[in-house]
Amino acid sequence: MEREFAYALQQSLNALQLAGFYMPLAVAFALIQAVTRRVFLSFGEMAMFGSFGAVYSCFFGILNGFDDFGSGLFALVIGIACAGALGFASSRLMFQPLLQRSVQSYMIGAVGFSIVIEEVMRIQSEGRDIWIPRLFDGESFSLLSGANVVNLTISNAAALVLSGTTVVLVYAIMRFTSFGRNWVACAQDIRLASLCGVNASQVVTLTFTLGAGLSAVSGWIAAITYGGTSFSSGAMLGFKAMFAAAIGGFGSVRGAALGALLLGVLEVVWSGLYSSTWRDIGVFGVMIVMLLFRPEGLAGLSTTRESEVL
């Protein structure tokens, strides 16, 4: 009995760790889609861009005598700042003008933007993975001792806390701030919100910036947990997070978090039952079937009804 409990606990931690990667990024996808009614395909690359900022900042912190906590915190702040600045600039200079054009123009622009970011980071890194010393030296604490030990590393625990805190913070922003109220108004009907005095352009820009910052959180979690980053790391991370947001329901912070958690559980269950070689195919297949039966997502609402972030 103890062995089964230890196994279940370990697998639950694995699922939470995977969900922590996807959760901030899934929320970013949900927020942008609700306002623009379009899927922004570049958040995976923005997460990768933020992870490079975090990795290089972590190097700087280590070389200047920061402790592990200080290096990790400094890397997080710089990673968010880098991705946020990229999100702000790309929104103002590229994507807001494209929103006035056809959906195809917007999608093609997002794909091209992703390719440019990936190529720039490939060139500057010379196509190599960039590794950093693992923070906290892989230290861990035991959740279950005895014959069946279950450990949780400090870096994984920090990643889980950060992911959950980020989602709660975004929920609070959307619930209790004027930006959140304006965002809800634009998500319901952006033209009507503009007629009522809401600065829709500012809302879209801030949403892009917030989404880019959230993507950097996912990039930081991946970089710190695995000890490095790569120019190609953003594509699959972004694709999975987009699916998680779709499953949870675009336009809902709660739904995006739920979708990320479900994705983590599906990946762990599949890996435990079947070969991990077919894991992504199997998980995406299950999620596609779910979308066929509930296209608005688990917590989302039809686009003909009011959007919500609860």
Side-chain angles (χ1 to χ4, degrees):
M1 185 66 181
E2 183 181 349
R3 181 178 180 183
E4 287 77 7
F5 176 75
Y7 178 78
L9 180 59
Q10 184 63 66
Q11 293 293 71
S12 298
L13 289 175
N14 293 339
L16 286 174
Q17 179 182 343
L18 287 172
F21 292 153
Y22 306 134
M23 201 172 289
L25 198 51
V27 171
F29 276 108
L31 295 179
I32 284 293
Q33 195 278 341
V35 171
T36 64
R37 294 293 189 268
R38 293 169 174 82
V39 177
F40 185 58
L41 300 176
S42 301
F43 273 137
E45 281 66 33
M46 283 191 173
M48 177 267 294
F49 184 80
S51 72
F52 268 95
V55 166
Y56 291 144
S57 301
C58 195
F59 270 126
F60 178 86
I62 292 172
L63 292 175
N64 285 273
F66 292 8
D67 60 12
D68 287 349
F69 177 80
S71 297
L73 182 60
F74 181 66
L76 175 62
V77 172
I78 297 301
I80 292 176
C82 290
L86 181 63
F88 177 86
S90 62
S91 172
R92 285 292 191 185
L93 300 177
M94 181 176 180
F95 291 108
Q96 286 207 51
L98 286 176
L99 286 173
Q100 310 304 318
R101 299 177 178 271
S102 65
V103 175
Q104 290 85 349
S105 299
Y106 177 87
M107 300 292 283
I108 292 171
V111 171
F113 184 67
S114 298
I115 293 173
V116 168
I117 295 176
E118 186 171 320
E119 283 301 297
V120 167
M121 302 315 292
R122 181 188 67 82
I123 292 171
Q124 69 83 31
S125 64
E126 298 180 346
R128 298 176 299 179
D129 295 350
I130 306 298
W131 300 101
I132 57 173
R134 195 166 186 182
L135 298 184
F136 307 108
D137 295 323
E139 295 179 14
S140 62
F141 53 91
S142 296
L143 298 179
L144 192 65
S145 57
N148 301 286
V149 179
V150 176
N151 291 327
L152 179 64
T153 64
I154 294 178
S155 58
N156 285 345
L160 289 174
V161 171
L162 175 63
S163 181
T165 302
T166 300
V167 173
V168 172
L169 181 61
V170 171
Y171 177 92
I173 290 173
M174 294 301 172
R175 179 73 172 174
F176 300 112
T177 68
S178 59
F179 165 71
R181 290 189 291 271
N182 290 338
W183 180 90
V184 172
C186 290
Q188 291 171 1
D189 192 316
I190 193 167
R191 292 184 179 180
L192 184 58
S194 298
L195 291 174
C196 292
V198 174
N199 189 337
S201 176
Q202 183 184 66
V203 170
V204 172
T205 297
L206 291 178
T207 305
F208 267 94
T209 306
L210 177 60
L214 288 170
S215 71
V217 173
S218 287
W220 181 91
I221 291 174
I224 297 303
T225 300
Y226 292 117
T229 188
S230 168
F231 73 93
S232 61
S233 62
M236 184 55 70
L237 178 61
F239 192 58
K240 288 184 176 181
M242 182 181 68
F243 257 81
I247 285 294
F250 280 126
S252 172
V253 173
R254 178 186 60 185
L258 179 61
L261 181 60
L262 178 60
L263 178 58
V265 170
L266 285 174
E267 289 198 4
V268 168
V269 170
W270 184 278
S271 298
L273 296 177
Y274 308 105
S275 171
S276 59
T277 304
W278 299 91
R279 182 186 63 189
D280 290 342
I281 296 176
V283 169
F284 284 137
V286 172
M287 298 180 81
I288 289 171
V289 171
M290 293 178 64
L291 287 173
L292 288 175
F293 287 98
R294 191 173 175 83
E296 70 273 16
L298 299 177
L301 298 175
S302 170
T303 56
T304 61
R305 298 167 61 189
E306 291 186 349
S307 300
E308 65 173 7
V309 296
L310 304 182

